[in-house]
Coordinates of all heavy atoms in Angstrom, one line a residue:
R56 N -38.2 -37.9 22.2 CA -36.9 -37.7 21.6 C -36.9 -38.2 20.2 O -37.4 -39.3 19.9 CB -35.8 -38.4 22.4 CG -34.4 -38.5 21.7 CD -33.3 -38.8 22.7 NE -33.6 -40.1 23.4 CZ -33.2 -41.3 22.8 NH1 -32.6 -41.4 21.7 NH2 -33.4 -42.4 23.5
V57 N -36.3 -37.4 19.2 CA -36.2 -37.8 17.8 C -34.7 -38.0 17.6 O -34.0 -37.0 17.6 CB -36.8 -36.8 16.9 CG1 -36.7 -37.3 15.4 CG2 -38.3 -36.6 17.2
G58 N -34.2 -39.2 17.2 CA -32.8 -39.4 16.9 C -32.0 -39.8 18.1 O -32.6 -40.1 19.2
E59 N -30.7 -39.9 18.0 CA -29.9 -40.5 19.0 C -28.7 -39.6 19.4 O -27.6 -40.0 19.5 CB -29.3 -41.9 18.5 CG -30.3 -42.9 18.1 CD -31.1 -43.4 19.3 OE1 -30.5 -43.4 20.4 OE2 -32.3 -43.8 19.2
V85 N -39.3 -42.6 21.8 CA -38.1 -42.4 20.9 C -38.4 -42.7 19.5 O -39.0 -43.8 19.2 CB -36.9 -43.2 21.3 CG1 -35.7 -42.9 20.5 CG2 -36.6 -43.0 22.8
F86 N -38.1 -41.8 18.6 CA -38.4 -41.9 17.1 C -37.1 -41.8 16.3 O -36.2 -41.0 16.7 CB -39.4 -40.9 16.7 CG -40.7 -41.0 17.5 CD1 -40.9 -40.2 18.6 CD2 -41.7 -41.8 17.1 CE1 -42.1 -40.2 19.3 CE2 -42.9 -41.9 17.8 CZ -43.1 -41.1 19.0
P87 N -37.1 -42.5 15.2 CA -35.8 -42.4 14.4 C -35.7 -41.0 13.8 O -36.7 -40.3 13.5 CB -36.1 -43.4 13.3 CG -37.5 -43.6 13.2 CD -38.0 -43.4 14.6
A88 N -34.5 -40.6 13.6 CA -34.2 -39.2 13.1 C -34.8 -39.0 11.7 O -35.1 -37.8 11.3 CB -32.7 -39.0 13.0
D89 N -35.0 -40.0 10.9 CA -35.5 -39.9 9.6 C -37.0 -40.1 9.5 O -37.6 -40.2 8.4 CB -34.8 -40.8 8.6 CG -35.0 -42.3 9.0 OD1 -35.6 -42.6 10.0 OD2 -34.6 -43.2 8.2
I90 N -37.7 -40.1 10.6 CA -39.2 -40.2 10.6 C -39.7 -39.0 9.8 O -39.2 -37.9 9.9 CB -39.8 -40.2 12.0 CG1 -41.3 -40.5 12.0 CG2 -39.5 -39.0 12.8 CD1 -41.9 -40.7 13.4
S91 N -40.8 -39.2 9.0 CA -41.3 -38.1 8.3 C -42.0 -37.1 9.2 O -42.5 -37.5 10.3 CB -42.3 -38.6 7.2 OG -43.5 -39.1 7.8
P118 N -34.9 -32.6 14.0 CA -34.2 -32.7 12.7 C -34.6 -31.6 11.7 O -35.7 -31.0 11.8 CB -34.7 -34.1 12.2 CG -35.0 -34.9 13.4 CD -35.6 -33.9 14.4
H120 N -35.6 -31.4 8.8 CA -36.8 -31.5 7.9 C -38.1 -31.3 8.7 O -39.2 -31.4 8.1 CB -36.9 -32.9 7.2 CG -37.0 -34.0 8.1 ND1 -36.0 -34.6 8.9 CD2 -38.1 -34.8 8.4 CE1 -36.5 -35.6 9.6 NE2 -37.8 -35.7 9.3
M121 N -38.1 -31.0 9.9 CA -39.3 -30.7 10.7 C -39.3 -29.2 11.2 O -38.3 -28.6 11.4 CB -39.3 -31.6 12.0 CG -39.5 -33.0 11.7 SD -39.6 -33.9 13.2 CE -39.5 -35.6 12.6

Side-chain angles (χ1 to χ4, degrees):
R56 171 166 56 86
V57 181
E59 301 293 330
V85 182
F86 302 93
D89 61 355
I90 187 174
S91 71
H120 65 282
M121 295 184 190

